[in-house]
Amino acid sequence: MRRRDAPFRRPPPKRRIPLGFWLALFVMAVLLLIVVFGRDRRSEQSRPLINKKSYRHSSIVEGLNVTEEMLSPHSITRQIGEQISLAKAFVVIAKESNNLQFAWELSAQIRSSQILLSNAATRRTPLTIEESETAIRDMALLIYQAQQQHYDSATMIMKLKAKIQSLEEQTHSVSEKSSKYGQIAAEEVPKSLYCLGIRLTVEWYRNLSLQRKLTVGKQVAEKLQDNSLFHFCVFSDNILATSVVVNSTAWNSHHPDQVVFHLVTDEVNYAPMKAWFSMNDFRGVTIEVQKIEDLSWLNASYVPVLKQLQDAETQNYYFSGSSDDGRTPIKFRNPKYLSMLNHLRFYIPEVYPSLKKVVFLDDDVVVQKDLSPLFSIDLNGNVNGAVETCMETFHRYHKYLNYSHPLIRSHFDPDACGWAFGMNVFDLVVWRKRNVTGIYHYWQEQNVDRTLWKLGTLPPGLLTFYGLTEALDPRWHVLGLGYTNIDAKTISEGAVVHFNGNMKPWLKIGMEKYKGLWDKKDLLGERW
């Protein structure tokens, strides 16, 4: 069949839109216009412009409380507050530029605006444009004058940066001085302790009965070498602090007659220390007092620290501090860290060749519980039993040692856990077998130029006893009473509390809240 041409095709039927649809669309458009115009009118009525026309309005939106009004983006209160903040900055700049008259005018206007805000807050109604017009205009005029005097943003930023830098330098200087004077205060011997030493020295040489009382008899000599007893050692030149350690240990011991204290001091304090421990009773505790000068094997040819003391550069570093223009903190140059009483802890097996196990105590500790169970703790073949201090990251090895040095980096894990000196259990049998003192000598000789560590005896201790330390229950040794706040429950549960830090309890700078722990074991008030 032949197909018809296009003109003969039937056109498609037309679709008609219902009249109701158009009516509905028209109504919606009208409503939308009404809503839009209504919002614009309300917005214009509520917007407070800073010009003469806007001041014709008597007030902004009424019925709002102060908090809501201040949160509004068009708040007069907020505008005045921002003016005050900007004006305060200009006051600082004006004073820096020695424009005191203008600074006074700004300060006066700031006070006026603050009074206006205070009155509005008191009555708990929002500020009106009428009452705030004068304050806003006057403050705007002053801010404009400040900008004309080149107190612009760029100038302000530069001057404020310079001011901040100056303040930072002042803060750094004050911090350095505070650290320096605090260190000096910590190192000074209180007058009372100094006088005590003198009086005890006089008493020792005047009273022969005291000398006879402390003479080591056969029974005492046997106790000093009896490994079935509980042996403690303290190395100190502080008579009273050592007395507190001995007294607190004795009073908390279940069997004080089985406790033996080995004390080592220097020649200056030898006589007064012997006099003190002869004159006071410590519940039957056996006490031996020695002076470090009598240890003939402790000489420069054997001990690296003594060898370093004879080096001119080392003496200049520790005693003058002029080698690095004062860049090294004063605590790093403290000569006490080269004191042999401080380093004698690394020679305990040589000091006491017949002993198998000892508990080392610092002179700034107070004992609160019986320590005899320490001697039955299994160290699992290790030399040193100590409380670990790595609960926080800053007590790990990398905080004490220089890990940029290849010798440190290749031998020690930077995240290894640190531990504390001050209450340590030492197995002297394993110590001698592992030649731990020789390990200590090696690291001291490697650090002759102070590139491995700078401060104290703990860093060489961490190196010396690396892999040879057994972790003890933290309750055996609670640290920090000389520099920070410790939880009262933690202190009460501690067998030994340690006043490590500069704020020692016998100093005026000591922390008052902890002095009572130390004072109650102090015999000074009882004897003098």
Side-chain angles (χ1 to χ4, degrees):
M1 180 182 290
R2 187 178 176 181
R3 186 176 182 181
R4 293 183 180 181
D5 295 334
F8 293 97
R9 292 183 182 176
R10 182 177 295 176
K14 295 182 179 181
R15 298 182 180 179
R16 296 182 178 180
I17 300 176
L19 181 60
F21 174 82
W22 291 109
L23 291 174
L25 186 61
F26 176 79
V27 171
M28 291 177 63
V30 171
L31 292 175
L32 181 61
L33 289 174
I34 292 173
V35 171
V36 171
F37 284 117
R39 286 184 177 179
D40 289 343
R41 181 171 298 177
R42 287 195 300 270
S43 177
E44 290 175 1
Q45 291 176 353
S46 61
R47 186 180 299 118
L49 299 176
I50 307 303
N51 53 47
K52 292 183 179 180
K53 292 182 179 180
S54 63
Y55 292 136
R56 294 175 184 175
H57 297 283
S58 61
S59 63
I60 60 173
V61 180
E62 296 180 357
L64 300 177
N65 59 38
V66 174
T67 303
E68 293 175 347
E69 194 270 339
M70 291 178 64
L71 292 175
S72 170
H74 307 299
S75 166
I76 291 179
T77 301
R78 174 177 290 187
Q79 185 175 355
I80 294 176
E82 290 173 353
Q83 281 187 328
I84 290 174
S85 299
L86 186 58
K88 286 181 177 178
F90 283 136
V91 168
V92 175
I93 302 299
K95 289 181 178 179
E96 290 291 327
S97 303
N98 204 28
N99 193 347
L100 301 182
Q101 176 63 30
F102 185 66
W104 181 86
E105 292 177 4
L106 279 170
S107 299
Q109 188 57 45
I110 288 172
R111 286 193 295 272
S112 177
S113 297
Q114 288 174 336
I115 292 172
L116 190 65
L117 294 176
S118 177
N119 292 337
T122 302
R123 69 172 186 255
R124 299 193 62 80
T125 58
L127 283 171
T128 64
I129 295 176
E130 291 177 347
E131 65 181 328
S132 59
E133 176 181 3
T134 303
I136 293 175
R137 185 181 62 247
D138 293 346
M139 183 69 83
L141 180 61
L142 288 173
I143 291 174
Y144 175 76
Q145 292 177 6
Q147 292 171 344
Q148 293 301 309
Q149 296 179 25
H150 304 291
Y151 298 159
D152 55 11
S153 298
T155 305
M156 285 179 59
I157 290 172
M158 291 178 62
K159 291 192 175 183
L160 287 174
K161 281 185 176 179
K163 184 66 175 179
I164 290 171
Q165 184 177 359
S166 174
L167 291 173
E168 286 178 347
E169 291 175 355
Q170 293 178 27
T171 302
H172 180 69
S173 175
V174 170
S175 178
E176 279 192 343
K177 289 180 180 179
S178 176
S179 176
K180 178 180 179 179
Y181 296 145
Q183 190 70 39
I184 292 173
E187 294 171 17
E188 290 298 317
V189 177
K191 182 179 179 181
S192 58
L193 295 184
Y194 179 77
C195 294
L196 174 65
I198 295 176
R199 294 170 65 182
L200 286 172
T201 301
V202 172
E203 188 70 21
W204 174 258
Y205 287 108
R206 187 181 64 181
N207 192 340
L208 295 179
S209 62
L210 285 179
Q211 300 180 26
R212 288 192 295 269
K213 184 177 180 181
L214 206 64
T215 301
V216 177
K218 182 178 179 181
Q219 185 178 3
V220 173
E222 290 177 352
K223 277 191 169 185
L224 296 178
Q225 302 181 22
D226 187 351
N227 282 291
S228 66
L229 302 180
F230 308 124
H231 294 269
F232 299 86
C233 61
V234 181
F235 308 137
S236 173
D237 58 0
N238 189 322
I239 301 169
L240 197 58
T242 304
S243 173
V244 170
V245 177
V246 175
N247 191 39
S248 61
T249 304
W251 277 98
N252 288 283
S253 176
H254 296 164
H255 304 284
D257 59 313
Q258 298 181 23
V259 173
V260 180
F261 262 94
H262 304 267
L263 311 179
V264 180
T265 188
D266 55 21
E267 179 125 28
V268 174
N269 293 282
Y270 178 64
M273 191 168 286
K274 292 191 76 171
W276 180 261
F277 286 100
S278 298
M279 296 165 60
N280 291 284
D281 177 38
F282 296 92
R283 297 187 67 208
V285 169
T286 302
I287 300 173
E288 176 195 28
V289 181
Q290 295 178 274
K291 58 181 176 180
I292 196 169
E293 288 79 6
D294 288 342
L295 304 175
S296 57
W297 50 267
L298 210 61
N299 51 63
S301 61
Y302 177 62
V303 179
V305 169
L306 288 175
K307 190 186 303 180
Q308 292 171 20
L309 274 174
Q310 298 175 356
D311 180 68
E313 182 183 351
T314 302
Q315 290 179 0
N316 183 57
Y317 175 84
Y318 279 97
F319 293 97
S320 71
S322 60
S323 59
D324 62 351
D325 298 324
R327 290 190 302 270
T328 303
I330 185 173
K331 65 178 182 178
F332 290 160
R333 301 194 306 268
N334 191 340
K336 80 173 186 177
Y337 296 120
L338 291 178
S339 166
M340 278 314 303
L341 282 176
N342 205 35
H343 285 263
L344 197 61
R345 65 192 68 189
F346 294 102
Y347 299 94
I348 293 176
E350 284 117 317
V351 181
Y352 310 111
S354 59
L355 297 183
K356 296 181 179 180
K357 182 176 283 189
V358 300
V359 170
F360 167 79
L361 296 173
D362 267 338
D363 63 0
D364 53 355
V365 306
V366 174
V367 178
Q368 299 188 127
K369 300 183 186 303
D370 180 33
L371 299 184
S372 58
L374 287 171
F375 292 85
S376 58
I377 291 178
D378 185 3
L379 298 182
N380 298 311
N382 290 306
V383 179
N384 173 33
V387 170
E388 292 183 334
T389 57
C390 60
M391 286 71 74
E392 291 121 1
T393 57
F394 55 84
H395 283 141
R396 297 187 183 273
Y397 268 51
H398 65 85
K399 290 298 182 181
Y400 298 99
L401 306 171
N402 177 20
Y403 271 85
S404 64
H405 197 290
L407 197 59
I408 296 293
R409 192 168 56 248
S410 61
H411 284 79
F412 303 98
D413 177 9
D415 291 323
C417 191
W419 45 267
F421 267 134
M423 198 291 298
N424 304 78
V425 184
F426 290 123
D427 188 327
L428 303 185
V429 176
V430 183
W431 184 313
R432 298 182 184 99
K433 183 179 178 180
R434 302 295 293 267
N435 189 25
V436 174
T437 303
I439 299 174
Y440 165 72
H441 283 172
Y442 170 79
W443 289 114
Q444 279 288 1
E445 289 168 354
Q446 296 299 315
N447 193 48
V448 67
D449 55 357
R450 298 174 300 279
T451 56
L452 304 186
W453 73 87
K454 291 183 180 295
L455 175 66
T457 53
L458 182 56
L462 295 175
L463 302 181
T464 301
F465 295 102
Y466 184 72
L468 299 174
T469 299
E470 180 72 13
L472 302 181
D473 189 314
R475 289 174 294 182
W476 280 114
H477 187 188
V478 176
L479 297 105
L481 277 72
Y483 68 90
T484 188
N485 289 313
I486 309 296
D487 178 65
K489 182 180 179 182
T490 302
I491 293 176
S492 65
E493 293 178 348
V496 174
V497 292
H498 195 169
F499 290 84
N500 58 315
N502 284 340
M503 293 182 283
K504 304 299 185 187
W506 56 83
L507 300 175
K508 289 184 178 180
I509 62 173
M511 300 180 73
E512 292 293 335
K513 63 188 298 184
Y514 300 136
K515 280 188 176 182
L517 298 171
W518 193 84
D519 289 342
K520 66 182 181 182
K521 298 302 179 185
D522 174 13
L523 296 176
L524 184 60
E526 299 177 13
R527 294 293 309 175
W528 299 92

